[in-house]
Amino acid sequence: MNKISIITPDDWHLHLRDESFMTAIVGDSANQFGRAIIMPNLNPPVRDCAQALAYRERIKAALPKQSRFEPMMTLYLTDHTSIADIKTASKSKFIHGAKLYPAGATTNSDAGVTDIGKLYPVFEQMQKSGFMLQVHGEVTSPEVDIFDREKIFIERQLQRIRKDFPELGIVFEHITTREAVEFVRACDASLAATITPHHLLINRNALFQGGIRPHHYCLPVAKRERHRRALLEAACGGEKFFFAGTDSAPHSKSAKESACGCAGIYSAHSAVELYAEAFESSADFTHFETFMSCNGADFYGLPQNTGSITLERTEWTIPDSLPYPESDLIPFKAGQTLHWKLVANG
Ligand code: NCD
Ligand code: ZN
């Protein structure tokens, strides 16, 4: 097989930033995807309907001319999110859920939630309004090992939310462990998970390959090989409740290559090709379209895209760096060879 055409895919988890940082990169996602769920962790965060709609306008204005890329907005839950915030946002066709960041879990999460119990009235309203909850599933307790934070989050928090709000639609974002895959399989039809290209392609060794590798550092951090294999099996197996969400999260080269480098991997530049590389490694493209283009839309209750994209089997090299304000942006797998290239999107 040397060519694959699939329904235009969507990115169900994307960081676009703002202002010149956004302008520098938004075209990459528009080249690769039809739509994307836009994460709200700006500084300050996107907390209400008006802020989300204004952010959407800024994204639309930054898109290349004639682009039909559709940003799907989300709210950032804080200790102060109100029932009224949810009621208003859930009436907008442009806003597709609210993101739970446990405070301190990741980049720009300081304003996140300190006590999930206090948010119960908000979850109640979300369940009533059919408004999706997107979850960054990591505990932040300093005594919990960083590689166990997702597993413990399932045990301490997610199981409880699932049980108390059985009808609430939940997307367990960027899962990284076998335990998360098994949890999703055991849940009913109202919980699904996104999987990133980097968690399908690297395990935690990549962080320490011949030295510290800041460009492989993201949160949740990559885990052992057996976890990567579980993710690959879930993605490539065509299971309904797993779909693509890149978690592409640009940080300048200087912010990554520092004594305290920030978390985030930039994959949007070649996201679909990176996913194809992962499917190539399992030598089975049967469910590529299902994972990239169908499951996410079905879970969110949105129509699948009407266009298509085509990839060709051809070797090409990811650029060493991309232009970005302040200093360059180093894409995931910079300078490395991929075996599939996106040749048409329309
Ligand atoms: C993301 C970012 O930089 O915004 N970083 C990351 O490592 N994934 C935040 C997030 O999704 O956790
Ligand atoms: Zn993210």
Side-chain angles (χ1 to χ4, degrees):
M1 191 177 60
N2 291 316
K3 216 175 201 178
I4 317 169
S5 289
I6 59 169
I7 297 169
T8 306
D10 300 306
D11 183 348
W12 297 96
H13 184 128
L14 175 64
H15 298 270
L16 280 183
R17 314 304 190 207
D18 210 347
E19 300 173 346
S20 59
F21 299 95
M22 168 171 68
T23 316
I25 50 118
V26 67
D28 285 348
S29 294
N31 280 340
Q32 300 252 328
F33 293 103
R35 299 168 287 193
I37 287 280
I38 309 302
M39 287 296 138
N41 63 332
L42 302 181
N43 191 11
V46 179
R47 280 156 302 177
D48 62 32
C49 180
Q51 289 166 353
L53 296 181
Y55 184 28
R56 179 174 178 274
E57 288 306 318
R58 298 198 295 279
I59 297 169
K60 296 286 268 184
L63 282 168
K65 274 202 178 72
Q66 270 136 27
S67 171
R68 284 176 297 159
F69 180 77
E70 192 52 48
M72 302 179 282
M73 311 312 293
T74 58
L75 301 188
Y76 183 114
L77 294 173
T78 73
D79 288 346
H80 310 290
T81 304
S82 68
I83 290 174
D85 289 332
I86 301 297
K87 278 189 179 160
T88 312
S90 64
K91 285 189 195 121
S92 165
K93 64 176 184 201
F94 299 122
I95 307 181
H96 295 267
K99 177 80 186 277
L100 169 67
Y101 289 102
T106 187
T107 309
N108 290 346
S109 64
D110 294 351
V113 174
T114 58
D115 176 359
I116 287 176
K118 285 203 201 127
L119 267 191
Y120 265 38
V122 166
F123 291 162
E124 191 74 55
Q125 184 59 47
M126 290 175 72
Q127 178 169 259
K128 229 184 262 170
S129 305
F131 201 53
M132 198 72 82
L133 174 69
Q134 292 102 3
V135 178
H136 183 110
E138 289 193 288
V139 292
T140 54
S141 329
E143 81 282 0
V144 176
D145 191 279
I146 186 165
F147 294 102
D148 295 333
R149 286 182 181 176
E150 183 173 283
K151 175 173 169 273
I152 306 285
F153 183 86
I154 298 171
E155 293 165 9
R156 290 191 193 164
Q157 315 273 15
L158 196 51
Q159 258 161 359
R160 186 174 133 218
I161 301 173
R162 181 65 306 173
K163 187 167 129 293
D164 294 341
F165 301 95
E167 310 285 314
L168 176 62
I170 299 179
V171 182
F172 189 1
E173 299 290 346
H174 42 51
I175 58 166
T176 59
T177 56
R178 177 171 289 277
E179 287 81 3
V181 169
E182 282 163 7
F183 179 74
V184 175
R185 284 184 182 141
C187 282
D188 63 15
S190 57
L191 186 139
T194 52
I195 305 182
T196 75
H198 46 280
H199 291 113
L200 292 172
L201 290 168
I202 60 170
N203 62 32
R204 66 189 196 174
N205 287 344
L207 281 151
F208 307 107
Q209 207 176 11
I212 294 226
R213 300 286 188 155
H215 298 291
H216 287 157
Y217 176 55
C218 66
L219 288 169
V221 72
K223 308 294 191 301
R224 288 175 184 275
E225 178 63 5
R226 70 183 188 88
H227 297 292
R228 188 188 74 85
R229 287 189 178 275
L231 299 173
L232 200 57
E233 189 189 289
C236 300
E239 294 175 58
K240 223 169 144 37
F241 299 107
F242 298 95
F243 43 86
T246 62
D247 194 19
S248 177
H251 292 277
S252 67
K253 181 173 190 255
S254 55
K256 294 285 295 173
E257 297 178 8
S258 116
C260 186
C262 33
I265 289 179
Y266 186 68
S267 60
H269 170 266
S270 41
V272 178
E273 290 118 330
L274 289 162
Y275 279 117
E277 204 72 13
F279 275 69
E280 173 83 21
S281 76
S282 81
D284 185 1
F285 279 87
T286 316
H287 303 294
F288 188 54
E289 182 177 66
T290 310
F291 178 76
M292 298 300 300
S293 318
C294 307
N295 287 349
D298 294 353
F299 187 74
Y300 271 85
L302 294 167
Q304 293 171 8
N305 289 317
T306 47
S308 67
I309 62 159
T310 302
L311 294 115
E312 253 174 35
R313 184 188 290 284
T314 175
E315 291 200 352
W316 67 286
T317 307
I318 297 190
D320 289 331
S321 77
L322 300 167
Y324 200 58
E326 290 170 10
S327 70
D328 291 347
L329 177 59
I330 309 297
F332 183 52
K333 292 213 175 277
Q336 294 188 40
T337 303
L338 294 187
H339 301 89
W340 288 92
K341 179 102 191 91
L342 186 64
V343 291
N345 182 354

